[in-house]
């Protein structure tokens, strides 16, 4: 690597370090760098980084649809303590919270859920963050008919292993319980349980 390229990379480094700190909520770092030639073929670059103050959350407006808000599984996620006003804003924690909502929605049968608004306003002049997040869950799907594709045992006998009834709210955990029960029955070498495609004109899966 030439000396010219080394110096160009060293000059860019403070900006890249500052950018790397932003996902963690630090937008006012103080960075000092030094590039020293130790031998004709050896250089040493060093950087002293003071992250500065983290940018605080001053407002967190979160709205969720009523049916989803009454679901105990979602109530356990709310409110997210790391996104409360006064805390340092973290893009990573914010994305993690959004992902936890979408994952839980899929596991609980809210297959049409979506974010109708997700806005993070970072004001570097006042040095604060305002968050607006709205999650529309739609309706929760129920279990529909269970199709057992096998030719080993009587179908009515196998239905005894189904841990839910048609019309009860969908739950991925219930499907896992069904798969485990069939597998533990020792009647089958392999068992696969999966939800069918969601029909838009139905409330069952």
């Amino acid at each position: 690597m030439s000396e010219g390229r080394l110096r160009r990379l060293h000059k860019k480094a403070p900006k890249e370090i500052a950018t790397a700190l932003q996902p963690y909520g630090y937008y006012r770092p103080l960075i000092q760098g030094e590039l020293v030639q130790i031998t004709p073929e050896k250089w040493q670059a060093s950087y002293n980084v003071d992250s500065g103050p983290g940018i605080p959350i001053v407002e967190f407006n979160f709205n969720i649809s009523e049916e989803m808000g009454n679901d105990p599984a979602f109530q356990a996620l709310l409110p997210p303590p790391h996104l409360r006003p006064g805390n340092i804003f973290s893009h990573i924690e914010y994305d993690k919270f959004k992902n936890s909502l979408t994952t839980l929605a899929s596991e609980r049968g809210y297959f049409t859920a979506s974010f109708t608004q997700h806005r993070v306003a970072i004001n570097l002049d006042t040095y604060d963050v305002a968050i607006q997040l709205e999650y529309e869950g739609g309706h929760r799907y129920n279990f529909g008919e269970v199709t057992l594709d096998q030719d080993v045992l009587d179908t009515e006998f196998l239905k005894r292993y189904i841990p839910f009834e048609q019309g009860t709210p969908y739950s991925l955990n219930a499907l896992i319980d069904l798969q485990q029960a069939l597998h533990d029955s020792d009647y089958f070498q392999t068992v696969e349980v999966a939800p069918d495609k969601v029909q838009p004109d139905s409330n069952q899966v």
Side-chain angles (χ1 to χ4, degrees):
M1 189 180 294
S2 67
E3 178 180 343
R5 187 180 180 196
L6 277 172
R7 293 193 180 278
R8 287 193 298 272
L9 292 173
H10 173 67
K11 187 177 181 179
K12 291 168 55 179
K15 183 177 180 181
E16 293 178 349
I17 293 172
T19 300
L21 288 170
Q22 291 179 4
Y24 302 95
Y26 297 95
Y27 284 80
R28 289 180 177 174
L30 298 175
I31 303 169
Q32 295 178 330
E34 184 180 34
L35 183 65
V36 179
Q37 186 174 12
I38 300 175
T39 68
E41 296 183 355
K42 187 175 182 180
W43 294 75
Q44 178 175 292
S46 58
Y47 304 94
N48 185 19
V49 181
D50 180 353
S51 64
I55 191 165
I57 300 171
V58 294
E59 186 178 346
F60 177 58
N61 293 319
F62 176 65
N63 295 308
I64 195 170
S65 57
E66 183 177 0
E67 182 177 358
M68 188 177 278
N70 292 329
D71 190 325
F74 281 91
Q75 291 175 355
L77 287 179
L78 307 172
H82 44 273
L83 293 177
R84 292 174 182 170
N87 288 351
I88 295 175
F89 175 70
S90 167
H91 291 270
I92 295 172
E93 293 297 334
Y94 173 70
D95 289 340
K96 188 184 298 184
F97 175 62
K98 288 177 60 182
N99 289 336
S100 67
L101 288 174
T102 56
T103 299
L104 187 58
S106 177
E107 293 175 351
R108 302 284 288 175
Y110 299 90
F111 295 118
T112 60
S114 64
F115 291 100
T116 55
Q117 187 170 356
H118 49 99
R119 182 173 181 267
V120 176
I122 298 175
N123 191 325
L124 295 180
D125 293 329
T126 57
Y127 205 65
D128 54 38
V129 176
I131 304 171
Q132 183 71 35
L133 188 63
E134 296 183 3
Y135 196 46
E136 175 55 52
H139 68 269
R140 185 180 182 185
Y141 280 71
N142 297 324
F143 280 114
E145 181 183 1
V146 178
T147 302
L148 299 168
D149 184 13
Q150 57 84 41
D151 56 4
V152 179
L153 300 172
D154 179 71
T155 299
E156 292 302 316
F157 172 76
L158 275 186
K159 285 183 177 180
R160 300 176 186 177
Y161 287 92
I162 301 175
F164 51 84
E165 296 181 1
Q166 184 172 347
T168 57
Y170 174 90
S171 167
L172 179 62
N173 288 336
L175 289 189
I176 295 174
D177 290 342
L178 171 58
Q179 179 167 329
Q180 190 64 46
L182 291 174
H183 185 271
D184 292 345
S185 70
D186 293 331
Y187 290 119
F188 307 100
Q189 184 174 4
T190 60
V191 178
E192 180 182 354
V193 179
D196 203 351
K197 292 182 180 180
V198 174
Q199 302 300 321
D201 57 346
S202 171
N203 67 341
Q204 293 190 336
V205 58

